[in-house]
Amino acid sequence: MPNAENNKKKLFIKTWGCQMNVYDSRRMADILRPFGYEVSEEPEDADMMILNTCHIREKATDKVFSELGRMRRLKDKKEAEGGQMLMAVAGCVAQAEGDFIIERAPYVDLVFGPQTYHELPEMIAKLTGAYGQDRIVSTELDTQTKFDALPEENNKQGVTAFLSVQEGCDKFCTFCVVPYTRGGEFSRSVEQIVNEAKALIDNGAREITLLGQNVNAYHGEGKDGKTWTLPLLIEELAKLDGLDRIRYTTSHPRDMDMALIEAHRDIEKLMPYLHLPIQSGSNKILKAMNRKHERDMYLDIIADLRKARPDIAMSGDFIVGFPGETDQDFEDTMDIVRQVKYASGYSFKYSARPGTPAANMTNLVREDVKAERLAALQNLINEYQLDFNTKCIGMTMPVLFDRADKAGDKLHGRTAYNQAIHVPGPARLMGHSANVIITGAFANSLTGTLELQESVLKSA
Ligand code: SAH
Ligand code: SF4
Ligand code: F3S
């Protein structure tokens, strides 16, 4: 066992991209902690710097290279003073670009993908030790090995925590890099997940969000040795004392089966909120995207969900300007938003990604048309978001408080529908749920007052 006390080192991790990357960054810190690395919020003077990257759109990838240039100056400074700073690029850009990163930025010491970070201590030893290796690129895609090798969860994530249960994707939407950067679908065992959930709860978590690129395709080994699907896993986790809320993200419409829909009716701890991307409302575009479902199937799922849990809040992702998208195709997307009345939504301009089938498509949509469509879609989504929030005014809802402001008299929390809410109240409510009367609504948040306080005021 390495002796952490005698040899403290500073670790800086910068994270881009999805919640899976946020989860991975935390786990990298878990792995390195026993070797003396302590996470620092500042990159200056770090012994090890990790940029955990996202490859999903062109802009995301560009950010990495500009950040690398900036960080290089810190490395040069430290080396001029006789120190050493290891620079690593991790995550999905690392997986996709591999050696090319070192070619373009030769001062980078280490490039590793999302499935090899459990080997960080060995990689660091090779770079710093007697081996004298000066560069490492590690981009294997064996997900199972990683999860088996990760140390026990020992991080304080706070009141709301992420837990990775599934990784990778076999869907191969024609626009998307994820199947290439994360590999094929892999599900962790129920036992491993339950143990990690218990550790999170012991460290103060009251809400756990189960993560996966295709989380509802979950099919892990169950307690009985058989394959369990997501609703069974959720049922098992709902038994854990101390855990109040369960969420899961991101789901694919194809894997939204009846058992999962009914779990929203039957499992109280499962929150009435679902992020279910459709990407486009046009059947022609859905086909070109290889989404493997049509718009009606998506609308049917939502109808079933609303039958099972009438108040469920929906959220979605949309891409505008996919090759071949006409005004009518775009109208079909706007129409989906009007029909579903999303409580929240995320929309993006299509970005051609090298190596994906859509990157070779012709019939491209002009950038100015993409920008126009994006603005129109975002306006419409915002209207529905505000409408959903406004309808909450006057209602009383349980809110789980996850943050208090510095002065200790204002709280931040989330409603069951995942709305952010600001409430005046004492810091001791952090980590607890309390009923809140909703008093104000904005596009992205609510305000409210504690119900208890209200009744005390009334009786006074
Ligand atoms: N696994 C999830 C999300 C994947 S990435 C799913 O299947 O829905 C998150 C979102 O980024 C996607 O839902 C999509 O809306 C967007 N996205 C992915 N690739 C993109 C691309 N090439 N251009 C623009 N947006 C993209
Ligand atoms: Fe990408 Fe499609 Fe897989 Fe989602 S389902 S990760 S959009 S390929
Ligand atoms: Fe980005 Fe990789 Fe997540 S490409 S969105 S960090 S899976």
Side-chain angles (χ1 to χ4, degrees):
M1 189 67 189
N3 187 342
E5 286 312 309
N6 293 339
N7 195 10
K8 289 246 182 294
K9 297 189 202 85
K10 213 166 135 178
L11 169 67
F12 174 78
I13 309 182
K14 177 154 181 169
T15 311
W16 289 271
C18 61
Q19 287 144 337
M20 195 72 88
N21 259 16
V22 175
Y23 175 89
D24 289 342
S25 290
R26 229 190 51 247
R27 301 301 262 148
M28 289 173 201
D30 285 346
I31 291 163
L32 292 178
R33 197 169 298 116
F35 295 86
Y37 285 92
E38 276 182 7
V39 173
S40 153
E41 301 299 320
E42 302 298 331
E44 284 79 17
D45 198 38
D47 296 283
M48 167 108 201
M49 172 179 303
I50 303 176
L51 303 185
N52 195 9
T53 63
C54 174
H55 197 51
I56 202 82
R57 285 169 289 273
E58 194 179 350
K59 257 198 196 144
T61 305
D62 287 348
K63 275 187 203 152
V64 176
F65 285 101
S66 57
E67 186 72 0
L68 271 175
R70 225 164 58 87
M71 296 298 181
R72 177 195 190 171
R73 268 176 260 142
L74 299 179
K75 181 178 164 107
D76 286 348
K77 182 166 174 274
K78 187 153 191 205
E79 282 175 0
E81 289 160 1
Q84 189 184 25
M85 181 186 291
L86 287 180
M87 241 169 119
V89 178
C92 291
V93 176
Q95 188 65 39
E97 306 272 0
D99 294 318
F100 177 71
I101 295 178
I102 300 222
E103 262 171 53
R104 195 164 150 186
Y107 45 89
V108 169
D109 302 285
L110 178 56
V111 174
F112 58 95
Q115 309 308 355
T116 57
Y117 64 79
H118 58 288
E119 290 164 6
L120 258 171
E122 287 146 75
M123 296 193 270
I124 294 175
K126 282 184 188 159
L127 287 167
T128 53
Y131 299 97
Q133 203 162 331
D134 58 310
R135 297 278 183 280
I136 294 179
V137 176
S138 166
T139 50
E140 288 295 310
L141 271 177
D142 181 358
T143 316
Q144 175 153 15
T145 318
K146 174 182 79 183
F147 282 117
D148 286 344
L150 286 181
E152 257 190 34
E153 166 73 51
N154 58 0
N155 231 340
K156 275 205 185 330
Q157 273 203 65
V159 178
T160 55
F162 292 141
L163 201 174
S164 197
V165 303
Q166 180 277 348
E167 256 206 271
C169 181
D170 295 337
K171 297 285 189 298
F172 291 93
C173 300
T174 52
F175 53 82
C176 184
V177 294
V178 171
Y180 312 98
T181 62
R182 292 271 167 176
E185 277 176 16
F186 170 78
S187 300
R188 300 175 74 185
S189 72
V190 172
E191 191 191 358
Q192 221 177 50
I193 294 164
V194 169
N195 286 341
E196 196 164 315
K198 283 181 180 160
L200 290 169
I201 297 166
D202 286 346
N203 275 318
R206 295 291 163 261
E207 171 179 309
I208 292 182
T209 300
L210 308 177
L211 296 181
Q213 265 92 24
N214 258 279
V215 72
N216 60 341
Y218 176 83
H219 56 276
E221 189 190 337
K223 286 189 157 176
D224 51 9
K226 295 195 181 122
T227 299
W228 285 22
T229 56
L230 189 63
L232 283 173
L233 173 68
I234 293 172
E235 208 180 307
E236 190 65 25
L237 291 169
K239 292 179 191 157
L240 296 177
D241 284 337
L243 182 62
D244 299 335
R245 294 177 163 193
I246 301 171
R247 305 181 188 275
Y248 59 95
T249 197
T250 294
S251 297
H252 191 285
R254 278 280 296 237
D255 298 311
M256 213 57 228
D257 63 8
M258 225 36 214
L260 184 54
I261 291 172
E262 284 168 359
H264 281 278
R265 180 192 64 201
D266 301 334
I267 303 178
E268 215 183 316
K269 290 184 182 178
L270 184 56
M271 290 294 101
Y273 171 89
L274 179 64
H275 182 62
L276 191 65
I278 183 168
Q279 314 299 355
S280 166
S282 150
N283 280 337
K284 182 190 91 188
I285 298 296
L286 286 171
K287 192 158 196 279
M289 286 176 162
N290 190 32
R291 285 291 291 181
K292 303 190 179 88
H293 62 81
E294 298 199 326
R295 59 181 275 137
D296 281 352
M297 179 189 152
Y298 182 82
L299 292 171
D300 287 347
I301 292 169
I302 290 177
D304 286 340
L305 275 161
R306 288 193 165 142
K307 236 182 266 161
R309 179 79 207 220
D311 64 334
I312 197 161
M314 295 300 306
S315 145
D317 287 346
F318 308 88
I319 295 177
V320 299
F322 187 81
E325 185 187 72
T326 62
D327 286 341
Q328 182 54 50
D329 294 322
F330 174 63
E331 238 338 283
D332 291 345
T333 300
M334 297 286 270
D335 181 64
I336 285 281
V337 176
R338 290 189 194 101
Q339 290 204 40
V340 176
K341 301 182 174 58
Y342 291 94
S344 72
Y346 305 87
S347 42
F348 312 97
K349 283 194 272 185
Y350 168 72
S351 166
R353 308 308 294 126
T356 60
N360 300 323
M361 290 181 185
T362 51
N363 218 348
L364 301 184
V365 176
R366 287 201 334 248
E367 277 306 311
D368 58 327
V369 175
K370 279 190 203 170
E372 241 171 64
R373 288 180 185 167
L374 185 71
L377 179 60
Q378 283 180 341
N379 278 337
L380 189 67
I381 292 171
N382 282 343
E383 273 175 39
Y384 280 103
Q385 256 175 237
L386 182 60
D387 192 49
F388 183 85
N389 289 348
T390 306
K391 286 197 174 109
C392 297
I393 294 179
M395 290 164 115
T396 301
M397 301 181 180
V399 168
L400 175 63
F401 295 109
D402 54 12
R403 274 201 318 268
D405 77 343
K406 280 209 183 94
D409 56 2
K410 277 197 212 78
L411 296 162
H412 172 276
R414 295 259 169 197
T415 68
Y417 308 116
N418 211 27
Q419 295 147 298
I421 180 162
H422 303 274
V423 180
R428 66 180 158 77
L429 283 181
M430 265 266 294
H432 296 276
S433 280
N435 275 344
V436 169
I437 301 167
I438 311 302
T439 53
F442 306 91
N444 293 310
S445 67
L446 299 174
T447 54
T449 55
L450 290 167
E451 184 188 43
L452 205 63
Q453 223 171 36
E454 195 82 343
S455 58
V456 169
L457 280 177
K458 270 186 204 141
S459 64

